[in-house]
Amino acid sequence: MAFFVASILLILIGLYAVLVKRNIMKIVIGLSLMDTGVNVLIISLGFIRGRTAPIVNIKDLLVNTSSKVVDPLPQALVLTAIVIGVAVTAVALSIVMLMYSKKKTLEIEEYKELKW
Amino acid sequence: MRKWLAIIFLIVLGFFMAKITSSFPFGEEKWGVSRHYVDKGIEENRGSNLVTSIVVNYRGFDTLGEVTVLFLAATALAFLLSTCRCRRRYERREASLIVKTASETLYPLLILFGAYIFIHGHLTPGGGFQGGTVIASAVMLMLLAHFTFHPNHRALSTVEGLAGITFVLIGFAGLIWGGSFLANNIIPLGQWNRLFSAGVIPLIYVAVGFKVGSELSGLITDMIKTTKEE
Amino acid sequence: MILEYFMLFLLFLMLGLAIYAVETKDLLASVVAAGFVSLVASIVYLYLQAPDVAMTEAAIGAGLTTLIFIIAIRKTERYEK
Protein backbone atom coordinates (compact mmCIF):
# COMPACT_ATOMS: atom_id res chain seq x y z
CA MET A 1 0.00 0.00 0.00
CA ALA A 2 2.85 2.37 0.87
CA PHE A 3 4.23 1.78 -2.61
CA PHE A 4 1.01 3.01 -4.23
CA VAL A 5 0.92 6.16 -2.09
CA ALA A 6 4.60 6.95 -2.66
CA SER A 7 4.41 6.48 -6.43
CA ILE A 8 1.26 8.65 -6.72
CA LEU A 9 3.00 11.37 -4.67
CA LEU A 10 6.04 11.12 -6.96
CA ILE A 11 3.82 11.57 -10.04
CA LEU A 12 2.16 14.60 -8.42
CA ILE A 13 5.53 16.18 -7.51
CA GLY A 14 6.66 15.81 -11.12
CA LEU A 15 3.39 17.29 -12.41
CA TYR A 16 3.75 20.21 -9.95
CA ALA A 17 7.17 21.00 -11.43
CA VAL A 18 5.72 20.91 -14.96
CA LEU A 19 2.81 23.20 -14.05
CA VAL A 20 4.46 25.77 -11.78
CA LYS A 21 8.18 26.09 -12.57
CA ARG A 22 9.30 28.68 -15.13
CA ASN A 23 12.69 27.18 -15.91
CA ILE A 24 12.66 24.82 -18.93
CA MET A 25 15.28 22.51 -17.44
CA LYS A 26 13.13 22.11 -14.30
CA ILE A 27 10.18 21.13 -16.49
CA VAL A 28 12.22 18.36 -18.13
CA ILE A 29 13.38 17.16 -14.68
CA GLY A 30 9.72 17.04 -13.61
CA LEU A 31 8.86 14.89 -16.64
CA SER A 32 11.65 12.47 -15.73
CA LEU A 33 10.38 12.24 -12.11
CA MET A 34 6.86 11.48 -13.40
CA ASP A 35 8.36 8.70 -15.52
CA THR A 36 9.94 7.08 -12.43
CA GLY A 37 6.68 7.39 -10.49
CA VAL A 38 4.60 5.67 -13.17
CA ASN A 39 7.14 2.84 -13.44
CA VAL A 40 7.12 2.20 -9.66
CA LEU A 41 3.29 2.18 -9.71
CA ILE A 42 3.08 -0.40 -12.53
CA ILE A 43 5.69 -2.68 -10.95
CA SER A 44 4.00 -2.60 -7.54
CA LEU A 45 0.69 -3.58 -9.20
CA GLY A 46 2.29 -6.86 -10.32
CA PHE A 47 3.87 -7.72 -6.97
CA ILE A 48 2.55 -10.74 -5.04
CA ARG A 49 3.59 -11.23 -1.41
CA GLY A 50 5.93 -14.13 -0.62
CA ARG A 51 6.70 -15.05 -4.22
CA THR A 52 10.04 -15.09 -6.04
CA ALA A 53 11.24 -13.39 -9.22
CA PRO A 54 9.92 -14.82 -12.54
CA ILE A 55 13.14 -16.66 -13.43
CA VAL A 56 12.60 -20.43 -13.57
CA ASN A 57 16.13 -21.78 -13.18
CA ILE A 58 15.73 -24.42 -10.45
CA LYS A 59 13.77 -27.67 -10.64
CA ASP A 60 11.34 -26.74 -7.82
CA LEU A 61 9.84 -23.91 -9.82
CA LEU A 62 9.06 -26.06 -12.89
CA VAL A 63 5.88 -27.62 -11.47
CA ASN A 64 2.95 -25.37 -10.58
CA THR A 65 4.85 -22.24 -11.56
CA SER A 66 1.95 -19.80 -11.27
CA SER A 67 1.71 -20.28 -7.48
CA LYS A 68 5.40 -19.51 -6.94
CA VAL A 69 6.38 -16.45 -9.01
CA VAL A 70 5.21 -12.82 -9.31
CA ASP A 71 3.44 -11.45 -12.39
CA PRO A 72 6.04 -10.99 -15.19
CA LEU A 73 3.89 -8.93 -17.58
CA PRO A 74 4.20 -5.48 -15.85
CA GLN A 75 7.97 -5.99 -15.67
CA ALA A 76 8.14 -6.56 -19.43
CA LEU A 77 6.12 -3.38 -20.06
CA VAL A 78 8.24 -1.22 -17.74
CA LEU A 79 11.50 -2.59 -19.20
CA THR A 80 10.73 -1.06 -22.59
CA ALA A 81 9.20 2.11 -21.09
CA ILE A 82 12.46 3.00 -19.30
CA VAL A 83 14.53 2.73 -22.50
CA ILE A 84 11.98 4.86 -24.38
CA GLY A 85 12.13 7.37 -21.50
CA VAL A 86 15.84 8.09 -21.91
CA ALA A 87 15.46 8.64 -25.67
CA VAL A 88 12.54 11.04 -25.17
CA THR A 89 14.48 12.94 -22.48
CA ALA A 90 17.42 13.29 -24.87
CA VAL A 91 15.18 14.75 -27.61
CA ALA A 92 13.59 17.17 -25.10
CA LEU A 93 17.01 18.35 -23.91
CA SER A 94 18.24 18.89 -27.46
CA ILE A 95 15.19 21.09 -28.07
CA VAL A 96 16.09 23.01 -24.87
CA MET A 97 19.66 23.49 -26.13
CA LEU A 98 18.36 24.74 -29.47
CA MET A 99 16.00 27.21 -27.77
CA TYR A 100 18.80 28.48 -25.54
CA SER A 101 21.08 29.09 -28.52
CA LYS A 102 18.42 31.41 -30.03
CA LYS A 103 17.52 33.60 -27.03
CA LYS A 104 20.18 32.93 -24.35
CA THR A 105 17.63 32.38 -21.60
CA LEU A 106 15.93 29.41 -19.96
CA GLU A 107 12.83 31.30 -18.73
CA ILE A 108 9.71 29.88 -20.40
CA GLU A 109 7.99 33.30 -20.30
CA GLU A 110 10.45 34.76 -22.80
CA TYR A 111 9.26 32.46 -25.56
CA LYS A 112 6.07 34.17 -26.70
CA GLU A 113 6.07 33.56 -30.44
CA LEU A 114 3.59 30.69 -30.32
CA LYS A 115 1.39 32.19 -27.61
CA TRP A 116 -2.18 33.13 -28.55
CA MET B 1 -2.10 32.62 -7.78
CA ARG B 2 -1.05 30.16 -10.48
CA LYS B 3 0.75 28.11 -7.83
CA TRP B 4 -2.37 27.70 -5.65
CA LEU B 5 -4.55 26.81 -8.64
CA ALA B 6 -2.00 24.14 -9.58
CA ILE B 7 -1.97 22.77 -6.00
CA ILE B 8 -5.78 22.53 -5.90
CA PHE B 9 -5.76 20.74 -9.26
CA LEU B 10 -3.09 18.32 -8.02
CA ILE B 11 -5.04 17.54 -4.82
CA VAL B 12 -8.16 16.70 -6.85
CA LEU B 13 -6.13 14.58 -9.29
CA GLY B 14 -4.36 12.79 -6.43
CA PHE B 15 -7.68 12.02 -4.75
CA PHE B 16 -9.04 10.33 -7.88
CA MET B 17 -5.81 8.43 -8.51
CA ALA B 18 -5.82 7.15 -4.92
CA LYS B 19 -9.48 6.16 -5.33
CA ILE B 20 -8.71 4.13 -8.46
CA THR B 21 -5.61 2.39 -7.13
CA SER B 22 -7.25 1.56 -3.78
CA SER B 23 -9.53 -0.85 -5.65
CA PHE B 24 -6.49 -3.00 -6.47
CA PRO B 25 -5.34 -5.06 -3.47
CA PHE B 26 -1.59 -4.78 -2.89
CA GLY B 27 0.45 -7.97 -2.90
CA GLU B 28 -2.27 -10.42 -3.93
CA GLU B 29 -2.88 -12.45 -7.05
CA LYS B 30 -4.31 -10.51 -9.99
CA TRP B 31 -3.63 -12.82 -12.93
CA GLY B 32 -4.82 -11.82 -16.35
CA VAL B 33 -3.38 -13.04 -19.60
CA SER B 34 0.02 -13.54 -17.96
CA ARG B 35 -1.21 -16.71 -16.27
CA HIS B 36 -0.84 -18.45 -19.64
CA TYR B 37 2.64 -16.97 -20.12
CA VAL B 38 3.75 -18.27 -16.71
CA ASP B 39 2.21 -21.73 -16.96
CA LYS B 40 3.07 -22.54 -20.57
CA GLY B 41 6.16 -20.33 -21.03
CA ILE B 42 8.76 -23.03 -20.32
CA GLU B 43 6.95 -25.58 -22.46
CA GLU B 44 6.55 -23.24 -25.45
CA ASN B 45 9.82 -21.29 -25.35
CA ARG B 46 12.31 -23.11 -23.00
CA GLY B 47 13.72 -19.81 -21.78
CA SER B 48 14.33 -19.71 -18.03
CA ASN B 49 13.72 -15.96 -17.77
CA LEU B 50 9.98 -15.46 -18.27
CA VAL B 51 10.34 -11.68 -18.69
CA THR B 52 12.62 -12.29 -21.68
CA SER B 53 10.12 -14.75 -23.16
CA ILE B 54 7.39 -12.12 -22.94
CA VAL B 55 9.49 -9.20 -24.24
CA VAL B 56 10.95 -11.06 -27.20
CA ASN B 57 8.37 -13.65 -28.17
CA TYR B 58 4.82 -13.14 -26.88
CA ARG B 59 5.05 -9.35 -27.15
CA GLY B 60 7.80 -9.25 -29.77
CA PHE B 61 5.84 -6.94 -32.03
CA ASP B 62 5.79 -4.32 -29.23
CA THR B 63 9.55 -4.60 -28.90
CA LEU B 64 9.98 -4.07 -32.64
CA GLY B 65 7.91 -0.90 -32.42
CA GLU B 66 9.88 0.23 -29.38
CA VAL B 67 13.20 -0.23 -31.18
CA THR B 68 11.76 1.83 -34.05
CA VAL B 69 10.86 4.64 -31.63
CA LEU B 70 14.44 4.58 -30.33
CA PHE B 71 15.76 4.87 -33.88
CA LEU B 72 13.39 7.78 -34.60
CA ALA B 73 14.47 9.60 -31.44
CA ALA B 74 18.16 9.24 -32.35
CA THR B 75 17.46 10.55 -35.87
CA ALA B 76 15.44 13.51 -34.57
CA LEU B 77 18.18 14.38 -32.10
CA ALA B 78 20.89 14.31 -34.77
CA PHE B 79 18.75 16.53 -37.02
CA LEU B 80 17.95 19.06 -34.26
CA LEU B 81 21.53 19.34 -33.07
CA SER B 82 22.91 19.74 -36.60
CA THR B 83 21.14 23.10 -36.80
CA CYS B 84 22.20 24.19 -33.30
CA ARG B 85 24.94 26.76 -32.75
CA CYS B 86 25.39 25.68 -29.15
CA ARG B 87 28.47 26.90 -27.27
CA ARG B 88 29.63 25.59 -23.97
CA ARG B 89 29.78 28.15 -21.19
CA TYR B 90 31.98 26.23 -18.79
CA GLU B 91 35.44 25.31 -20.00
CA ARG B 92 36.56 21.69 -20.03
CA ARG B 93 39.55 20.66 -17.99
CA GLU B 94 41.95 17.88 -18.90
CA ALA B 95 41.21 14.69 -16.93
CA SER B 96 43.93 13.45 -14.58
CA LEU B 97 46.25 10.56 -15.37
CA ILE B 98 44.45 8.23 -12.93
CA VAL B 99 41.08 8.77 -14.61
CA LYS B 100 42.57 8.26 -18.09
CA THR B 101 44.41 5.04 -17.22
CA ALA B 102 41.49 3.59 -15.28
CA SER B 103 39.02 4.32 -18.08
CA GLU B 104 41.31 2.71 -20.67
CA THR B 105 41.59 -0.39 -18.48
CA LEU B 106 37.85 -0.59 -17.80
CA TYR B 107 36.65 0.05 -21.38
CA PRO B 108 37.18 -3.48 -22.85
CA LEU B 109 36.03 -5.10 -19.60
CA LEU B 110 32.77 -3.11 -19.59
CA ILE B 111 32.08 -4.05 -23.23
CA LEU B 112 32.74 -7.71 -22.36
CA PHE B 113 30.32 -7.44 -19.40
CA GLY B 114 27.63 -5.94 -21.62
CA ALA B 115 28.06 -8.77 -24.14
CA TYR B 116 27.83 -11.32 -21.30
CA ILE B 117 24.56 -9.76 -20.11
CA PHE B 118 22.84 -9.89 -23.49
CA ILE B 119 24.11 -13.35 -24.49
CA HIS B 120 22.72 -14.84 -21.25
CA GLY B 121 19.48 -12.88 -21.51
CA HIS B 122 17.27 -15.98 -21.61
CA LEU B 123 18.89 -17.58 -18.54
CA THR B 124 19.65 -14.83 -16.01
CA PRO B 125 18.26 -11.35 -15.28
CA GLY B 126 19.26 -8.98 -18.04
CA GLY B 127 19.12 -8.99 -21.80
CA GLY B 128 19.51 -6.81 -24.85
CA PHE B 129 18.34 -3.56 -23.32
CA GLN B 130 20.49 -3.84 -20.20
CA GLY B 131 23.57 -5.08 -22.06
CA GLY B 132 23.24 -2.33 -24.67
CA THR B 133 23.05 0.27 -21.92
CA VAL B 134 26.19 -1.07 -20.24
CA ILE B 135 28.04 -0.83 -23.59
CA ALA B 136 26.81 2.74 -24.03
CA SER B 137 28.05 3.65 -20.56
CA ALA B 138 31.49 2.25 -21.47
CA VAL B 139 31.56 4.62 -24.47
CA MET B 140 30.37 7.41 -22.15
CA LEU B 141 33.31 6.78 -19.78
CA MET B 142 35.81 7.07 -22.63
CA LEU B 143 34.17 10.23 -23.97
CA LEU B 144 34.35 11.87 -20.56
CA ALA B 145 37.99 10.97 -19.90
CA HIS B 146 39.54 11.67 -23.33
CA PHE B 147 39.21 14.74 -25.55
CA THR B 148 40.34 12.96 -28.69
CA PHE B 149 38.23 9.80 -28.41
CA HIS B 150 35.66 9.70 -31.20
CA PRO B 151 33.65 6.55 -32.00
CA ASN B 152 33.38 5.72 -35.69
CA HIS B 153 29.99 7.08 -36.74
CA ARG B 154 29.74 5.08 -39.96
CA ALA B 155 30.49 1.80 -38.14
CA LEU B 156 27.90 2.59 -35.45
CA SER B 157 25.13 3.26 -37.98
CA THR B 158 26.07 0.15 -39.98
CA VAL B 159 25.86 -2.06 -36.87
CA GLU B 160 22.55 -0.45 -35.95
CA GLY B 161 21.02 -1.03 -39.40
CA LEU B 162 22.23 -4.63 -39.61
CA ALA B 163 20.83 -5.43 -36.15
CA GLY B 164 17.44 -3.96 -37.04
CA ILE B 165 17.31 -5.91 -40.33
CA THR B 166 18.23 -9.13 -38.47
CA PHE B 167 15.27 -8.65 -36.10
CA VAL B 168 12.81 -8.13 -38.98
CA LEU B 169 14.25 -11.03 -41.04
CA ILE B 170 13.92 -13.46 -38.11
CA GLY B 171 10.30 -12.31 -37.78
CA PHE B 172 9.62 -12.94 -41.48
CA ALA B 173 11.33 -16.36 -41.29
CA GLY B 174 8.80 -17.21 -38.59
CA LEU B 175 6.01 -15.96 -40.86
CA ILE B 176 7.16 -18.15 -43.79
CA TRP B 177 8.12 -21.42 -42.05
CA GLY B 178 6.46 -21.22 -38.66
CA GLY B 179 3.00 -19.85 -39.34
CA SER B 180 3.08 -16.45 -37.63
CA PHE B 181 5.33 -13.40 -37.31
CA LEU B 182 8.20 -14.13 -34.87
CA ALA B 183 7.02 -17.74 -34.40
CA ASN B 184 9.45 -19.70 -32.24
CA ASN B 185 9.40 -23.08 -33.98
CA ILE B 186 11.73 -22.61 -36.95
CA ILE B 187 14.86 -23.91 -35.17
CA PRO B 188 14.95 -26.61 -32.45
CA LEU B 189 14.15 -25.36 -28.97
CA GLY B 190 16.79 -27.41 -27.16
CA GLN B 191 16.94 -28.29 -23.46
CA TRP B 192 15.73 -26.14 -20.59
CA ASN B 193 18.42 -24.07 -18.78
CA ARG B 194 21.18 -24.48 -21.39
CA LEU B 195 23.01 -21.69 -23.23
CA PHE B 196 21.98 -22.99 -26.68
CA SER B 197 18.25 -23.24 -26.11
CA ALA B 198 15.03 -21.22 -26.41
CA GLY B 199 15.00 -21.14 -30.24
CA VAL B 200 15.20 -17.67 -31.75
CA ILE B 201 15.01 -15.74 -28.44
CA PRO B 202 18.79 -15.40 -27.86
CA LEU B 203 19.36 -14.46 -31.53
CA ILE B 204 16.81 -11.64 -31.35
CA TYR B 205 18.05 -10.41 -27.99
CA VAL B 206 21.67 -10.26 -29.24
CA ALA B 207 20.45 -8.18 -32.19
CA VAL B 208 18.52 -5.89 -29.82
CA GLY B 209 21.63 -5.55 -27.66
CA PHE B 210 23.77 -4.44 -30.59
CA LYS B 211 21.08 -2.04 -31.76
CA VAL B 212 20.47 -0.39 -28.37
CA GLY B 213 24.20 -0.18 -27.63
CA SER B 214 25.14 1.47 -30.93
CA GLU B 215 22.11 3.76 -30.87
CA LEU B 216 22.67 5.11 -27.35
CA SER B 217 26.43 5.49 -28.00
CA GLY B 218 25.67 7.51 -31.13
CA LEU B 219 23.16 9.64 -29.20
CA ILE B 220 25.68 10.51 -26.46
CA THR B 221 28.42 11.23 -29.01
CA ASP B 222 26.06 13.58 -30.88
CA MET B 223 25.23 15.44 -27.69
CA ILE B 224 28.84 15.85 -26.53
CA LYS B 225 30.46 16.65 -29.87
CA THR B 226 28.07 19.26 -31.31
CA THR B 227 29.83 22.23 -29.70
CA LYS B 228 31.01 24.67 -32.37
CA GLU B 229 34.13 26.60 -31.38
CA GLU B 230 34.01 30.22 -32.41
CA MET C 1 10.01 -7.02 9.25
CA ILE C 2 13.17 -4.90 9.33
CA LEU C 3 13.23 -5.08 5.53
CA GLU C 4 9.77 -3.51 5.37
CA TYR C 5 10.82 -0.62 7.61
CA PHE C 6 13.89 -0.16 5.40
CA MET C 7 11.64 0.02 2.33
CA LEU C 8 9.47 2.62 4.08
CA PHE C 9 12.62 4.63 4.77
CA LEU C 10 13.64 4.36 1.10
CA LEU C 11 10.23 5.58 -0.08
CA PHE C 12 10.45 8.62 2.23
CA LEU C 13 14.00 9.25 0.99
CA MET C 14 12.75 9.10 -2.61
CA LEU C 15 10.00 11.65 -1.96
CA GLY C 16 12.33 13.98 -0.06
CA LEU C 17 14.91 13.89 -2.83
CA ALA C 18 12.20 14.55 -5.43
CA ILE C 19 11.01 17.64 -3.52
CA TYR C 20 14.61 18.82 -3.20
CA ALA C 21 15.15 18.29 -6.96
CA VAL C 22 12.09 20.41 -7.76
CA GLU C 23 12.74 23.22 -5.27
CA THR C 24 16.50 23.91 -5.34
CA LYS C 25 17.87 26.80 -7.42
CA ASP C 26 21.06 25.04 -8.50
CA LEU C 27 20.18 22.95 -11.57
CA LEU C 28 23.25 20.71 -11.19
CA ALA C 29 22.22 19.71 -7.64
CA SER C 30 18.69 19.18 -8.92
CA VAL C 31 19.89 16.79 -11.64
CA VAL C 32 22.02 14.82 -9.19
CA ALA C 33 19.04 14.51 -6.82
CA ALA C 34 16.84 13.26 -9.70
CA GLY C 35 19.49 10.64 -10.52
CA PHE C 36 19.50 9.59 -6.87
CA VAL C 37 15.71 9.12 -7.01
CA SER C 38 16.27 6.66 -9.88
CA LEU C 39 18.96 4.80 -7.93
CA VAL C 40 16.65 4.42 -4.90
CA ALA C 41 13.86 3.30 -7.24
CA SER C 42 16.09 0.50 -8.52
CA ILE C 43 16.51 -0.82 -4.94
CA VAL C 44 12.71 -0.68 -4.56
CA TYR C 45 12.36 -2.75 -7.76
CA LEU C 46 14.70 -5.34 -6.27
CA TYR C 47 12.40 -5.66 -3.24
CA LEU C 48 9.39 -5.97 -5.57
CA GLN C 49 11.05 -9.03 -7.22
CA ALA C 50 11.86 -7.37 -10.54
CA PRO C 51 15.64 -7.86 -11.10
CA ASP C 52 15.44 -7.13 -14.85
CA VAL C 53 13.85 -3.73 -14.28
CA ALA C 54 16.26 -2.96 -11.44
CA MET C 55 19.25 -3.50 -13.75
CA THR C 56 17.76 -1.29 -16.46
CA GLU C 57 16.87 1.49 -14.04
CA ALA C 58 20.29 1.45 -12.38
CA ALA C 59 22.11 1.64 -15.72
CA ILE C 60 19.81 4.14 -17.46
CA GLY C 61 18.19 6.27 -14.75
CA ALA C 62 21.25 6.77 -12.60
CA GLY C 63 23.88 6.68 -15.38
CA LEU C 64 22.85 7.81 -18.83
CA THR C 65 20.03 10.24 -17.96
CA THR C 66 22.18 12.12 -15.44
CA LEU C 67 24.99 12.43 -17.97
CA ILE C 68 22.64 13.74 -20.68
CA PHE C 69 21.25 16.37 -18.28
CA ILE C 70 24.77 17.45 -17.28
CA ILE C 71 25.80 17.86 -20.94
CA ALA C 72 22.71 20.01 -21.53
CA ILE C 73 23.47 22.14 -18.44
CA ARG C 74 27.04 22.65 -19.61
CA LYS C 75 25.72 24.09 -22.87
CA THR C 76 23.06 26.30 -21.24
CA GLU C 77 23.31 27.75 -17.74
CA ARG C 78 23.62 26.38 -14.24
CA TYR C 79 21.54 28.60 -11.92
CA GLU C 80 17.82 29.16 -12.01
CA LYS C 81 16.82 32.82 -11.62
Side-chain angles (χ1 to χ4, degrees):
Chain A
M1 206 62 216
F3 290 94
F4 288 166
V5 175
S7 52
I8 287 174
L9 283 178
L10 202 55
I11 296 171
L12 293 182
I13 290 170
L15 196 57
Y16 172 80
V18 174
L19 287 176
V20 171
K21 292 291 160 182
R22 290 185 170 81
N23 189 298
I24 312 176
M25 202 67 88
K26 275 286 170 65
I27 294 176
V28 181
I29 289 171
L31 287 175
S32 133
L33 287 177
M34 272 167 82
D35 205 1
T36 309
V38 172
N39 291 339
V40 174
L41 181 61
I42 297 178
I43 289 287
S44 57
L45 279 175
F47 178 65
I48 302 172
R49 233 180 238 110
R51 307 285 183 86
T52 181
I55 293 164
V56 189
N57 53 4
I58 50 174
K59 280 245 156 56
D60 274 0
L61 290 172
L62 270 178
V63 288
N64 211 355
T65 311
S66 64
S67 65
K68 287 167 188 160
V69 299
V70 302
D71 196 345
L73 190 57
Q75 305 188 8
L77 295 178
V78 169
L79 191 62
T80 54
I82 291 175
V83 182
I84 291 280
V86 66
V88 171
T89 308
V91 173
L93 286 175
S94 70
I95 293 174
V96 170
M97 278 153 64
L98 199 61
M99 284 162 82
Y100 185 82
S101 75
K102 302 279 184 217
K103 284 205 172 178
K104 303 287 171 212
T105 176
L106 281 179
E107 300 297 303
I108 194 87
E109 315 231 310
E110 298 291 324
Y111 295 90
K112 290 176 180 157
E113 283 83 357
L114 280 178
K115 212 169 179 178
W116 47 279
Chain B
M1 180 62 199
R2 195 166 74 159
K3 193 174 170 180
W4 291 108
L5 271 180
I7 287 176
I8 291 168
F9 170 71
L10 288 178
I11 287 172
V12 174
L13 190 73
F15 174 74
F16 282 109
M17 280 170 78
K19 194 103 175 157
I20 292 169
T21 46
S22 66
S23 63
F24 299 108
F26 175 74
E28 289 168 31
E29 295 200 23
K30 301 178 277 290
W31 296 102
V33 65
S34 52
R35 175 130 206 175
H36 173 88
Y37 300 157
V38 170
D39 279 337
K40 303 276 193 239
I42 299 296
E43 205 179 301
E44 289 174 358
N45 279 318
R46 304 285 160 76
S48 307
N49 189 345
L50 291 170
V51 179
T52 300
S53 295
I54 292 174
V55 168
V56 177
N57 196 267
Y58 292 113
R59 306 241 155 188
F61 213 65
D62 274 3
T63 308
L64 186 58
E66 193 258 345
V67 169
T68 314
V69 171
L70 207 59
F71 169 72
L72 258 169
T75 315
L77 186 129
F79 167 69
L80 283 171
L81 288 184
S82 71
T83 61
C84 178
R85 270 172 294 145
C86 312
R87 264 171 292 169
R88 73 171 85 89
R89 293 164 53 90
Y90 305 100
E91 266 318 301
R92 253 184 107 164
R93 267 178 305 174
E94 187 88 13
S96 71
L97 183 69
I98 296 173
V99 176
K100 281 184 172 173
T101 315
S103 66
E104 274 165 16
T105 315
L106 278 176
Y107 181 58
L109 292 176
L110 274 174
I111 286 190
L112 186 69
F113 180 57
Y116 167 81
I117 287 177
F118 63 67
I119 288 170
H120 291 76
H122 57 299
L123 300 176
T124 53
F129 294 109
Q130 291 91 336
T133 321
V134 169
I135 287 178
S137 56
V139 174
M140 169 185 112
L141 190 67
M142 284 302 270
L143 280 169
L144 287 182
H146 295 266
F147 281 149
T148 51
F149 181 76
H150 202 298
N152 188 344
H153 235 277
R154 189 173 295 265
L156 282 182
S157 57
T158 312
V159 168
E160 185 193 321
L162 282 179
I165 289 173
T166 310
F167 194 160
V168 176
L169 282 184
I170 291 173
F172 275 117
L175 187 62
I176 294 169
W177 290 295
S180 68
F181 194 76
L182 285 172
N184 196 3
N185 51 11
I186 50 175
I187 55 175
L189 286 178
Q191 251 185 324
W192 165 73
N193 230 353
R194 292 276 181 276
L195 181 58
F196 294 102
S197 66
V200 298
I201 288 179
L203 299 177
I204 293 177
Y205 234 13
V206 168
V208 169
F210 275 113
K211 191 164 166 58
V212 171
S214 55
E215 215 140 60
L216 290 180
S217 315
L219 198 141
I220 293 171
T221 314
D222 279 345
M223 286 198 77
I224 288 188
K225 297 281 181 185
T226 48
T227 313
K228 298 222 180 10
E229 307 290 349
E230 288 179 32
Chain C
M1 202 62 221
I2 190 133
L3 196 61
E4 272 155 33
Y5 283 120
F6 182 59
M7 280 301 135
L8 217 55
F9 165 71
L10 283 186
L11 292 178
F12 275 113
L13 183 67
M14 208 157 85
L15 291 176
L17 281 167
I19 291 171
Y20 179 74
V22 169
E23 285 304 328
T24 179
K25 292 283 178 196
D26 187 354
L27 287 175
L28 196 60
S30 166
V31 165
V32 172
F36 210 97
V37 171
S38 281
L39 195 62
V40 175
S42 85
I43 303 172
V44 171
Y45 292 143
L46 212 56
Y47 174 77
L48 294 173
Q49 302 293 342
D52 290 88
V53 186
M55 280 173 83
T56 320
E57 182 78 36
I60 286 189
L64 287 184
T65 311
T66 312
L67 177 86
I68 290 173
F69 271 112
I70 288 175
I71 294 169
I73 285 176
R74 208 181 67 196
K75 289 180 180 170
T76 57
E77 57 192 9
R78 181 173 166 181
Y79 293 100
E80 186 185 4
K81 287 188 194 76

